[in-house]
Amino acid sequence: MKRSVEGSLMVLLVVALPSAGAAADMMQQRDSKATPSPRSDPGAALSAISGHPSVIDGRTLWFSEQARSVRLAGIDACAVPQWSYDPTRHGKTTMPKPVPCGPLAKAWLKRSLGNNRVTCTISASAEASALVGRCVAKGRDLAIDMLRVGWARTTTASPQAYLVWQDRAKSARHGMWATYVLDMDEWRRKAIDRTLSRKPIADFNLLAERESEISPPFADARNRPRHVDR
């Protein structure tokens, strides 16, 4: 019955339209609308990626052979142009001493991977060419390395082990936890100039109007313990 109805429809189309080709085109358009093509996922075919990557920032690696960037899963870090501030006053200045948290985070990630081969287990795709995964060099989780020294913070998707390392870095005032720093998500929303020539005063102004900050208060900043076992 269904085939006879479709056959009758084709006969009507041939009669009503100038050519049989036009009728076929209309049927093809109907079929394409009924069955939409699936959206491609750039990371769907990848379960792992390995090589000797370069470092883009404190949370992102670039694998040139595969032309893919991989973001360390479960952590966030200062963008390269971002500044934080030393709570200890230096001299008579009213502005805290700026600390280049972005370059320092990038430098520590470079130190963590060194010249070792890095293997990333891909868990998701972030953007068109960016992947997200757990990356390991010489058996060391690079995200944990960044949390341990205080140059990264956890995200909502972080495993419990990551939170433990972050708490240790906080209590020891390692890395950015020894500074005033604007939360990275808020910084990305508000920072208009993201060039490497960004001035520290720009982030000082953002910090003054902050919605939140991720560094703790520093009433005891001058007396915080000194740690060298990073």
Side-chain angles (χ1 to χ4, degrees), residues 154-195:
T154 57
T155 65
T156 54
S158 298
Q160 183 62 34
Y162 285 14
L163 297 174
V164 171
W165 284 106
Q166 175 173 272
D167 288 344
R168 291 180 181 179
K170 275 186 177 182
S171 63
R173 303 288 170 82
H174 286 333
M176 67 181 178
W177 302 114
T179 70
Y180 290 118
V181 59
L182 189 68
D183 183 81
M184 295 86 188
D185 289 334
E186 185 175 351
W187 187 89
R188 294 187 192 100
R189 291 198 312 268
K190 294 182 175 181
I192 298 174
D193 175 18
R194 301 187 187 182
T195 64

Side-chain angles (χ1 to χ4, degrees), residues 121-134:
T121 303
I122 305 304
S123 58
S125 297
E127 286 113 17
S129 61
L131 306 173
V132 178
R134 178 178 180 269

Side-chain angles (χ1 to χ4, degrees), residues 24-102:
D25 290 343
M26 179 174 289
M27 293 296 291
Q28 184 175 2
Q29 291 175 7
R30 183 201 66 180
D31 293 339
S32 64
K33 290 179 181 179
T35 310
S37 58
R39 295 180 63 184
S40 60
D41 182 355
L46 281 175
S47 60
I49 187 170
S50 184
H52 291 84
S54 55
V55 176
I56 297 177
D57 55 35
R59 63 171 185 163
T60 313
L61 303 175
W62 170 255
F63 291 83
S64 58
E65 293 182 1
Q66 296 87 352
R68 291 290 183 92
S69 61
V70 179
R71 185 178 301 167
L72 302 184
I75 67 168
D76 202 353
C78 289
V80 175
Q82 187 175 356
W83 295 85
S84 60
Y85 296 89
D86 185 343
T88 305
R89 298 292 179 179
H90 297 269
K92 296 182 179 180
T93 179
T94 59
M95 179 177 171
K97 181 181 178 181
V99 177
C101 66

